[in-house]
Amino acid sequence: MKTDFRGLWILAGAWVTAYMQPPFLITAIVLLLFLIIFALLLRRRHDAPSSAPWFTGPLLLLLASISVSVVTLGQDNCQLPEGAEQQRRVVISFTDQPRLDGEGMSKGIAQIIKYWDKDRWIACPTPVYLSLPYPLQPGADEFETILDLQSTGTKGAFAWWAKAKSEPVVQTWQEPTPADYLKSRFTLSVKNLPDEARGLLPGMLYGDRSGQSEELSAAMKDSGLSHLTAVSGSNVALLGAMALVILRLLSVPRVPAALLSIGFLALFIWFVGPDPSVLRAGLMGIIATISLMLGRGRGSLGILSLSGTVLLLIDPSLAVEPAFALSVLATLGIIVLTPAITEILSRVFPIWFAQLTAICCAAQFTCLPVIIALNSNFSLYSLPVNLLVAPLLPLITSVGVICLLFCTPLPAVADILLWVPGLPACWIGKLALWVIELPGASRPWPPGIAGIGLAVGFSVVFAVLLLSTYESEHASIHRLAGIALAVVVVLLAAMVLPATLFYRPAIPVEWNVAMCDVGQGDAFVIHTGPDEGWLLDAGPPDGGVAACVKQLGIQKLSKVFITHEHADHFGGFAEVEATGLQIDERLVSTGFDPSRWPGTAVLKPGDSAGTDTVHYRVIGPNEISARYAEPNDTSLVIVFDFLVQDQVVSFFTAGDLEEEAMHQLLSELPQPPVQVLKASHHGARNGGTEIIEKLKPRVLLISVGKDNSYGHPHQEILDAAQRTGTRVIRSDLEGTVLLTFEPGNVLATAIGPAVR
């Protein structure tokens, strides 16, 4: 082997111990094991003095584990008082540049500095994900506000979701630095570029994603390109590696090129800001640059392992931070896998392209388990898309940095030169938006430990085979590993990827309402028994409603409600009938033409029926008014009442009923508040906001097609939901969603978009 992997034992021991935080008894057992193995070193040696014993790796792992355990003993881990949901007065500060969403809300990771409890302030640095629906003055640092806090229930970069419930009162201000002025000037310089370039360039150069739209941010994430706009170890390592490759292409000697690359990274870290995450990313980037300078991972892997271990000793909480994991794993991939991938690719491509592509692939590949753990999804197109954009990154980075430096002294030159990186950045944004529309663009992965273990196993097997073909000094092992690697790749392509196209997470046993993802249309399933349900509308033809019903485990539809005649509500019923499912009652409104659907029963206001757990009551439409109304205004208006532990949870739906008809209905038959409301007419403006303001639902369901040409849902509807504190759940963003009712609570579980 050309690489010494023993340093990874140290890093693994420190990382596992910091993550698990074992009790003192486990630490004592580890110490005993260490002493037993260490005693083996005292025995008489029969091998060469320079050779390492077989137990060196485990010994190093136990030593690192003991070191981290000793550091963490007696530490006072500050935590908020117990309670999954609570409200607290706090002083807080954003740790990263917050992103402004389409509703004017600032969102991002923040840190609670102190909180008010029992008539005093308690200092307790606590990371949270903050949603701030109030304007924050430029330059504000720490501010006081009231937070609604909800536990995430998991370990990670933050343990609480937080939403501000009062206007922020600024406590301290940040003095702008020269770097801040430069960033502001650059933001003004990119204003003439296309939207995608304007949102991506600041992120690709220095990690500022505040200018990205919500749609573009989601597309970059779902296509596997979001790492390009984040200041992570992967991002910084790629920057340093590209700088080194460019300098080498300019015939700069290896050592000066490496030193210049490290100097470039140091300047970059100063520019972005020396917060801990950036410093860690910079450290990993410098290690990766040293590795590329050496041309192999012999010394760099040891440096990486020791650096990661020292960071964990200083701050054991890093073990649960995804940013730390991505930084270390990306650097590990670049150090260990880049030479092997470069050797393979250089047989087909020029060396500069092979090396850049290898860097990109190596970083992506080793980060796969963490990405899976964070998203529970993966993109089938992530790797090819990253390969497509890899050649553009040196151009964007090098010319973008020049524009960054020129935008103040030579703004006219910078404005013209910005189109050079701007057009490729725009193309990357459009590519991300296009890719997420492809079939199977974002596929679910098995959840929990099983899914993470599968990702880890895949990465480890692939890496071992790849390294065996590159590093083995035995021709037979080299040949066999190469054959095995080819077989694994073919099998994965032939079996794993197509299988994931049809994989769906397990459906919870207990659920009440399902909003099926049928595109631009409505289809809801009311759960009435283990294999039984009611269907409310069937979506458009070819919307996939039958597949949704089958996925939910429904084998009998005792009632089917069709709100009105439009194809996006009734068109999919033929698909349901073709499945052979038992269908008992077919129920329509008084405005429905019975000749279109033989065997129907007409529901009139006041009609009601149900089971022991769910009951429906018809509110409209009036038979006389429906006779002369437009089809939308003949929509069936129903309230479904669910009995949940002696409490009633109500679900109000009105098909596509428009604003005037809704106003008349609510005037004649005022309705009490409900817990769940289906947005009328897919969230269109003509559905009106009165129904939201009067019923004050906890959850608003919007069944709508992705990127539909109607502009649904309209911003006025979303604004009304925000004013009333209503949670919006959209099928175009979440796919099929299950609602489970509890006393005083509505739980939502997204099970992914339909495969079309």
Side-chain angles (χ1 to χ4, degrees):
M1 284 287 182
K2 304 172 186 177
T3 305
D4 186 351
F5 291 96
R6 284 176 297 180
L8 291 179
W9 289 91
I10 300 177
L11 180 59
W15 205 335
V16 170
T17 305
Y19 186 89
M20 300 298 294
Q21 297 180 357
F24 177 76
L25 178 60
I26 301 297
T27 303
I29 294 173
V30 169
L31 178 60
L32 179 61
L33 286 173
F34 173 79
L35 294 174
I36 293 172
I37 297 177
F38 184 76
L40 294 176
L41 287 175
L42 303 179
R43 80 194 195 288
R44 179 174 294 183
R45 299 288 297 274
H46 298 287
D47 49 5
S50 60
S51 63
W54 62 267
F55 50 80
T56 302
L59 192 65
L60 293 172
L61 184 146
L62 294 174
L63 178 61
S65 177
I66 294 168
S67 301
V68 172
S69 296
V70 170
V71 168
T72 56
L73 284 176
Q75 282 190 350
D76 182 19
N77 294 323
C78 173
Q79 294 181 345
L80 293 179
E82 293 184 1
E85 295 184 18
Q86 50 187 289
Q87 189 174 85
R88 297 209 167 267
R89 176 185 170 194
V90 302
V91 173
I92 191 169
S93 174
F94 279 108
T95 55
D96 295 316
Q97 179 71 27
R99 181 176 59 83
L100 197 65
D101 67 9
E103 301 175 4
M105 184 178 294
S106 298
K107 297 181 178 180
I109 295 179
Q111 180 164 272
I112 294 175
I113 311 300
K114 55 185 179 180
Y115 66 91
W116 184 260
D117 186 56
K118 298 178 181 178
D119 300 325
R120 64 191 181 97
W121 285 106
I122 298 177
C124 182
T126 306
V128 300
Y129 189 87
L130 175 62
S131 298
L132 183 67
Y134 304 98
L136 190 63
Q137 300 175 39
D141 183 16
E142 297 179 4
F143 56 91
E144 182 181 328
T145 186
I146 304 295
L147 290 186
D148 271 348
L149 293 159
Q150 183 174 4
S151 174
T152 63
T154 60
K155 294 182 178 181
F158 53 89
W160 298 88
W161 303 105
K163 184 175 182 180
K165 305 301 289 185
S166 66
E167 291 274 359
V169 179
V170 178
Q171 304 277 312
T172 62
W173 300 85
Q174 290 180 336
E175 290 295 329
T177 65
D180 293 328
Y181 288 118
L182 191 56
K183 291 175 187 177
S184 300
R185 187 67 188 86
F186 185 77
T187 301
L188 293 175
S189 298
V190 299
K191 67 180 184 300
N192 295 323
L193 297 178
D195 291 343
E196 293 83 2
R198 193 165 59 246
L200 290 180
L201 262 185
M204 298 182 76
L205 293 178
Y206 50 86
D208 181 5
R209 292 186 281 188
S210 59
Q212 293 181 25
S213 66
E214 191 169 352
E215 180 186 20
L216 182 58
S217 294
M220 293 292 288
K221 178 182 177 182
D222 293 342
S223 62
L225 294 174
S226 60
H227 66 96
L228 300 180
T229 57
V231 183
S232 63
S234 172
N235 178 268
V236 177
L238 287 171
L239 285 173
M242 287 186 294
L244 180 60
V245 172
I246 292 170
L247 289 169
R248 294 291 288 146
L249 287 173
L250 297 175
S251 301
V252 178
R254 185 181 294 274
V255 173
L259 293 176
L260 287 172
S261 298
I262 292 172
F264 168 73
L265 289 181
L267 183 64
F268 172 78
I269 293 168
W270 167 83
F271 176 70
V272 175
D275 60 76
S277 63
V278 176
L279 290 174
R280 288 198 308 271
L283 174 62
M284 298 304 161
I286 290 171
I287 293 172
T289 303
I290 293 173
S291 168
L292 292 174
M293 179 190 73
L294 296 175
R296 57 189 182 186
R298 186 182 299 275
S300 306
L301 188 56
I303 297 172
L304 169 65
S305 301
L306 184 59
S307 301
T309 302
V310 170
L311 288 172
L312 288 167
L313 285 169
I314 295 172
D315 184 5
S317 66
L318 292 177
V320 299
E321 281 199 17
F324 175 77
L326 291 171
S327 294
V328 174
L329 292 176
T331 310
L332 176 65
I334 291 172
I335 290 173
V336 176
L337 301 182
T338 294
I341 300 175
T342 300
E343 183 181 88
I344 295 172
L345 295 179
S346 61
R347 301 169 188 171
V348 182
F349 302 107
I351 185 63
W352 64 270
F353 179 82
Q355 190 164 31
L356 288 177
T357 305
I359 292 168
C360 175
C361 293
Q364 282 280 300
F365 184 76
T366 49
C367 290
L368 175 65
V370 179
I371 294 171
I372 292 296
L374 290 175
N375 299 326
S376 297
N377 289 275
F378 75 103
S379 173
L380 296 181
Y381 308 103
S382 175
L383 185 57
V385 166
N386 274 277
L387 293 178
L388 282 175
V389 304
L392 300 176
L393 301 182
L395 176 66
I396 294 173
T397 302
S398 56
V399 181
V401 169
I402 293 172
C403 294
L404 193 61
L405 298 175
F406 280 11
C407 65
T408 299
L410 298 171
V413 175
D415 289 346
I416 297 172
L417 199 58
L418 266 171
W419 287 93
V420 177
L423 290 177
C426 177
W427 183 79
I428 290 174
K430 290 185 179 297
L431 178 66
L433 292 166
W434 175 70
V435 160
I436 62 172
E437 298 296 330
L438 296 177
S442 179
R443 303 307 333 133
W445 189 270
I449 298 298
I452 297 173
L454 180 62
V456 170
F458 168 58
S459 296
V460 169
V461 170
F462 192 88
V464 168
L465 291 175
L466 180 63
L467 290 173
S468 297
T469 62
Y470 175 70
E471 299 216 6
S472 176
E473 298 174 357
H474 300 283
S476 58
I477 295 178
H478 182 92
R479 184 171 59 257
L480 288 174
I483 295 171
L485 182 63
V487 170
V488 167
V489 171
V490 171
L491 288 177
L492 286 172
M495 294 188 300
V496 176
L497 298 185
T500 62
L501 286 174
F502 303 100
Y503 171 80
R504 283 291 181 267
I507 303 299
V509 176
E510 300 295 334
W511 58 276
N512 298 99
V513 176
M515 176 172 63
C516 290
D517 176 18
V518 292
Q520 185 66 18
D522 275 3
F524 296 83
V525 179
I526 311 295
H527 198 195
T528 59
D531 305 315
E532 189 174 335
W534 300 343
L535 180 64
L536 173 65
D537 283 335
D542 302 321
V545 64
C548 179
V549 172
K550 181 180 179 181
Q551 182 184 4
L552 295 171
I554 300 298
Q555 299 178 11
K556 176 185 176 182
L557 294 172
S558 52
K559 300 181 189 298
V560 175
F561 304 85
I562 299 297
T563 58
H564 62 294
E565 298 178 353
H566 279 167
D568 58 337
H569 293 253
F570 179 52
F573 186 71
E575 181 184 336
V576 177
E577 287 185 312
T579 63
L581 281 174
Q582 179 181 338
I583 300 172
D584 293 343
E585 293 185 82
R586 306 168 186 228
L587 307 171
V588 298
S589 78
T590 57
F592 196 97
D593 182 359
S595 65
R596 294 197 61 190
W597 195 17
T600 59
V602 175
L603 292 176
K604 300 177 182 179
D607 288 348
S608 64
T611 69
D612 293 338
T613 56
V614 58
H615 186 272
Y616 75 84
R617 45 195 171 93
V618 180
I619 307 300
N622 179 276
E623 185 176 5
I624 297 176
S625 60
R627 190 179 304 166
Y628 304 101
E630 294 293 329
N632 280 349
D633 290 339
T634 67
S635 292
L636 200 57
V637 183
I638 313 179
V639 178
F640 295 92
D641 293 319
F642 296 82
L643 184 62
V644 181
Q645 297 181 19
D646 298 327
Q647 294 186 20
V648 175
V649 177
S650 298
F651 168 39
F652 187 102
T653 172
D656 284 353
L657 200 68
E658 296 187 11
E659 187 172 15
E660 291 184 7
M662 184 74 77
H663 173 74
Q664 182 178 352
L665 179 73
L666 294 178
S667 298
E668 295 174 356
L669 299 169
Q671 299 297 311
V674 299
Q675 285 70 39
V676 181
L677 170 68
K678 187 204 82 71
S680 185
H681 202 187
H682 320 288
R685 186 178 187 178
N686 61 14
T689 60
E690 181 184 6
I691 184 70
I692 300 173
E693 292 161 351
K694 286 191 173 181
L695 298 191
K696 295 180 172 59
R698 178 171 295 183
V699 173
L700 178 68
L701 299 178
I702 303 181
S703 183
V704 63
K706 192 175 182 68
D707 297 328
N708 63 86
S709 59
Y710 305 99
H712 299 163
H714 196 273
Q715 190 61 45
E716 283 189 11
I717 305 300
L718 299 177
D719 290 343
Q722 183 179 0
R723 287 194 300 271
T724 56
T726 301
R727 178 185 177 186
V728 175
I729 299 177
R730 298 166 48 172
S731 62
D732 60 332
L733 300 180
E734 305 288 343
T736 297
V737 178
L738 306 182
L739 298 185
T740 304
F741 301 145
E742 296 180 349
N745 197 18
V746 178
L747 304 179
T749 304
I751 59 175
V755 177
R756 297 190 174 92

